[in-house]
Amino acid sequence: MDLYEYQGKELFRRFGIPVSEGRLATSPDEARAAAEELGGPVVVKAQVLTGGRGKAGGVKLADDPGDAKRKAHDILGLDIRGHLVKKLWIEKASDIAKEYYLSVTFDRSEKKPLFMLTTEGGVEIEEVAANNPDALARLHVNVLEGFQPYQGRRLIYGARIDDPSEQKQVLEIIGKLYRCFVETDAMLCEINPLIVTPGGEVKALDSKFTVDDSALARHPDVAGMRDVEAADPLEALAREKGVTYVKLDGSVGILGNGAGLSMSTVDVVVVAGGRPANFCDLGGGGDAEGVVDALEVIARDPDVRSILFNIFGGITRGDEVARGILEALQRIDISVPMVVRLDGTNADEGRQILADAAPANLHVEPTMLDAAKRAVELAA
Ligand code: GDP
Ligand code: MN
């Protein structure tokens, strides 16, 4: 789960990482009131779950409350990389002398947390990694040993931060960020920029924070930060029904049992010249209830022009799935054609059930490739 900047900063604050004072606002008037409370110049920042807000016009400085109101008016409603701005974070403006970058994430190949630190902050880290790799200090943490201050110092020397006061502050922030990362079960904690003010104070001006979904049960407070409104309505429906569903941008709705088969189905649709509208995994079960739930999610997507239902029966029985399909067709209104490929345990019985009922708009194909071709044709 990704957190908004203001939520990430709230967690940073809890772990003692310096951040600026701010307020949340959802209207220009609230932004003005927030600026009044904070006093002095503020920065008005779009709260969306994507980066690059600055470049997209979603981060603006304001001199006084009236100006904050105007900037809020400009930013609210902006579309930033497909994310509509509904919330603003109004923060006391900082003077910036330098912009650094600090993050901790997982390096899956090393199976260790990875710190990255560079004095070339403010820009996208991929750019630094590509154009100036020497400027990017990297350090893996041994999880059994835990984070040790000498590692922080090594990171700081690697990034060639040579001011003693900055070294001391950055070292503390690194230690706190590691605790924050571990204790919130985060997958990414990124500070870009980590600024140095003209007075020499180091603090986090931005936050990018991702928490492991599977660990949310251990962090009810973080789980409560989920923004239900911002979630894609279909993904929210899928979550509610316990269906594994990822929206894609094509027109063939995909339903398979098991993640592997569902992914292969995505591939085979592409091979057949089509574009998948989603990835949907029924899981190992495939009983009538599960089929109804999954079809309900897929059929609600207006981009879906045909549905490819790909089942290989192992534990899942073909006859059970066939009955699930028929029940789903009775309970929900599916206006697009559906192509079914059924193989494995009790596949013959399943096909027979479908042939006997012969629902309109349902096509049974013998192989995965035939089914994909048919679904692509029907979506055209
Ligand atoms: P992002 O573009 O989504 O990464 O948003 P950031 O929060 O990183 O802000 C983008 C840029 O706006 C930063 O790199 C800063 O240069 C600038 N900025 C943000 N907050 C302040 C502030 O308080 N004062 C000043 N002077 N600039 C700021
Ligand atoms: Mn940033």
Side-chain angles (χ1 to χ4, degrees):
M1 177 175 114
D2 294 332
L3 301 183
Y4 287 105
E5 174 196 2
Y6 78 93
Q7 297 171 326
K9 281 180 168 171
E10 161 67 28
L11 294 177
F12 285 171
R13 185 190 293 277
R14 272 188 222 170
F15 285 87
I17 297 165
V19 289
S20 303
E21 199 190 339
R23 303 272 185 279
L24 204 59
T26 55
S27 71
D29 280 324
E30 278 178 30
R32 183 176 41 74
E36 244 155 37
E37 261 184 66
L38 293 168
V42 294
V43 53
V44 180
K45 310 185 77 174
Q47 297 301 291
V48 280
L49 296 175
T50 182
R53 295 164 303 160
K55 273 189 207 152
V59 177
K60 290 199 159 94
L61 287 163
D63 295 329
D64 53 61
D67 195 20
K69 180 177 171 175
R70 277 190 297 279
K71 299 279 161 65
H73 181 265
D74 293 344
I75 297 174
L76 283 166
L78 273 185
D79 183 310
I80 300 181
R81 297 186 185 177
H83 297 254
L84 192 68
V85 182
K86 293 181 183 165
K87 283 192 279 194
L88 301 170
W89 177 241
I90 316 293
E91 183 175 277
K92 266 192 175 184
S94 306
D95 289 328
I96 303 176
K98 300 176 196 167
E99 294 192 322
Y100 296 168
Y101 170 103
L102 172 67
S103 70
V104 54
T105 182
F106 275 117
D107 183 341
R108 287 174 192 274
S109 47
E110 289 285 331
K111 301 193 176 95
K112 286 174 182 164
L114 169 67
F115 267 108
M116 288 193 278
L117 174 65
T118 172
T119 55
E120 309 272 315
V123 293
E124 310 236 335
I125 195 61
E126 291 79 4
E127 253 172 66
V128 181
N131 302 333
N132 198 0
D134 285 349
L136 186 62
R138 298 156 54 93
L139 183 112
H140 288 100
V141 179
N142 179 328
V143 284
L144 297 180
E145 192 181 287
F147 175 79
Q148 304 293 329
Y150 80 86
Q151 296 176 310
R153 284 193 286 274
R154 190 176 289 173
L155 197 59
I156 287 166
Y157 295 139
R160 294 183 218 109
I161 294 175
D162 43 25
D163 178 273
S165 157
E166 281 179 27
Q167 289 178 338
K168 187 162 167 278
Q169 294 176 72
V170 174
L171 183 63
E172 278 204 14
I173 292 174
I174 293 172
K176 287 169 176 170
L177 194 65
Y178 188 72
R179 265 197 61 212
C180 179
F181 178 77
V182 172
E183 290 181 22
T184 62
D185 287 304
M187 316 207 26
L188 168 72
C189 292
E190 184 188 78
I191 308 177
N192 188 21
L194 177 72
I195 61 155
V196 185
T197 66
E201 187 196 346
V202 182
K203 66 177 169 183
L205 214 63
D206 192 8
S207 99
K208 213 185 233 178
F209 212 115
T210 308
V211 182
D212 185 351
D213 278 332
S214 306
L216 284 177
R218 310 202 314 176
H219 309 285
D221 53 332
V222 178
M225 290 179 174
R226 188 188 294 283
D227 187 348
V228 198
E229 273 173 50
D232 178 88
L234 287 175
E235 289 189 2
L237 178 70
R239 188 184 301 275
E240 189 187 303
K241 298 204 173 270
V243 176
T244 306
Y245 171 89
V246 180
K247 172 93 174 100
L248 301 170
D249 57 10
S251 58
V252 181
I254 285 173
L255 181 50
N257 66 322
L261 183 65
S262 301
M263 279 193 271
S264 312
T265 313
V266 165
D267 287 348
V268 88
V269 163
V270 174
V271 168
R275 309 253 317 149
N278 66 275
F279 164 95
C280 186
D281 172 14
L282 203 55
D287 57 348
E289 204 54 46
V291 174
V292 169
D293 285 345
L295 280 176
E296 204 176 336
V297 174
I298 295 175
R300 277 219 209 162
D301 178 350
D303 297 335
V304 167
R305 308 272 293 274
S306 70
I307 296 172
L308 171 52
F309 200 141
N310 192 7
I311 296 292
F312 188 90
I315 299 168
T316 311
R317 286 166 28 217
D319 54 329
E320 176 91 14
V321 173
R323 273 189 284 272
I325 294 172
L326 295 179
E327 194 174 328
L329 288 174
Q330 271 180 2
R331 279 169 47 182
I332 51 179
D333 185 26
I334 298 178
S335 54
V336 295
M338 195 153 101
V339 181
V340 180
R341 176 260 185 166
L342 204 56
D343 214 334
T345 310
N346 289 8
D348 290 337
E349 288 86 338
R351 286 195 211 105
Q352 193 58 50
I353 290 169
L354 293 177
D356 290 345
N361 252 346
L362 189 109
H363 312 262
V364 179
E365 292 287 345
T367 72
M368 193 154 145
L369 189 58
D370 288 323
K373 284 181 180 158
R374 189 71 180 270
V376 171
E377 249 170 56
L378 290 164

